[in-house]
Amino acid sequence: MTVTLLDRARGDVAPTGEAKADARMPINMKLRINGREHRLTLDGRTTLLDALREHVGLTGTKKGCDHGQCGACTVLIGNRRVLSCLSFAMMAEGSEITTIEGLARPDGTLHPMQQAFVDHDAFQCGYCTPGQILSAIACVHEGHAETDAQIREYMSGNLCRCAAYPNIVDAIKQAKPQMKEA
Ligand code: FES
Ligand code: FES
């Protein structure tokens, strides 16, 4: 392959002079989301957030800052919370991805954390809420919900412009024992 000056300027050429793989080429991937497999063909640079919202149609995961600063885009990969705006979709292949749409049971019963947010009125506009709930579930699984101060510290990556923070702490304290029973 002929390496042009334009390739070098774009950074498409390794220091050895060989052409790098082009991340813009469509890549086939299988993403397992909320227990269902989705086959997608995406630009290799597509974020998990854009894959979920724009290509799978799961718009419950919100785009706030798109820069890893607000937590609105939090999803679970396994039991681990991940900022989907900072993750490439293809990095999640082979893992179980959970979004807000995957929490309630098929009969509509809410996950204990969702119910606790409702019970404690832990939102106003609701834009941050999907990310807060996914992050709160992970916070409990991590063992970081032992005290109010610990909850505040480990939920500090999820911003709420409506300042529902005290209610969010109360909701997490309600859901924690129920999650252990479930
Ligand atoms: S949208 Fe991902 S952290 Fe704000
Ligand atoms: S409920 Fe409005 S930003 Fe959190």
Side-chain angles (χ1 to χ4, degrees):
M1 175 177 171
T2 308
V3 174
T4 65
L5 279 177
L6 185 59
D7 291 331
R8 288 185 189 282
R10 281 202 208 110
D12 288 343
V13 182
T16 57
E18 290 174 13
K20 287 187 202 167
D22 188 344
R24 294 163 296 187
M25 293 294 288
I27 294 173
N28 296 323
M29 61 187 83
K30 283 186 270 182
L31 297 184
R32 195 164 170 74
I33 307 164
N34 302 329
R36 217 179 118 208
E37 189 171 279
H38 297 262
R39 289 171 185 270
L40 302 168
T41 303
L42 301 175
D43 181 316
R45 300 165 298 176
T46 307
T47 64
L48 180 56
L49 176 59
D50 284 342
L52 291 169
R53 289 182 57 84
E54 311 298 333
H55 299 278
V56 183
L58 293 174
T59 55
T61 306
K62 300 304 183 210
K63 183 179 281 192
C65 64
D66 210 18
H67 281 88
Q69 295 181 346
C70 72
C73 64
T74 306
V75 299
L76 299 181
I77 296 189
N79 277 336
R80 197 167 50 91
R81 43 184 157 174
V82 165
L83 295 175
S84 60
C85 72
L86 292 187
S87 309
F88 289 122
M90 62 181 174
M91 290 164 63
E93 200 171 25
S95 303
E96 183 64 47
I97 303 159
T98 304
T99 70
I100 194 72
E101 292 91 342
L103 291 183
R105 293 208 202 117
D107 69 0
T109 307
L110 295 179
H111 183 283
M113 192 62 77
Q114 289 175 302
Q115 188 60 54
F117 268 64
V118 173
D119 293 345
H120 288 273
D121 209 11
F123 46 80
Q124 272 187 45
C125 75
Y127 198 81
C128 72
T129 309
Q132 298 279 5
I133 289 175
L134 272 302
S135 205
I137 290 169
C139 186
V140 171
H141 283 143
E142 291 161 10
H144 291 146
E146 300 306 313
T147 64
D148 287 20
Q150 196 180 37
I151 291 171
R152 280 194 212 99
E153 172 70 21
Y154 281 89
M155 289 296 292
S156 61
N158 289 80
L159 305 184
C160 175
R161 283 164 42 127
C162 303
Y165 298 114
N167 308 47
I168 291 170
V169 172
D170 289 345
I172 293 173
K173 286 196 293 187
Q174 174 180 305
K176 185 182 148 199
Q178 297 168 348
M179 283 172 59
K180 285 191 180 143
E181 288 160 16

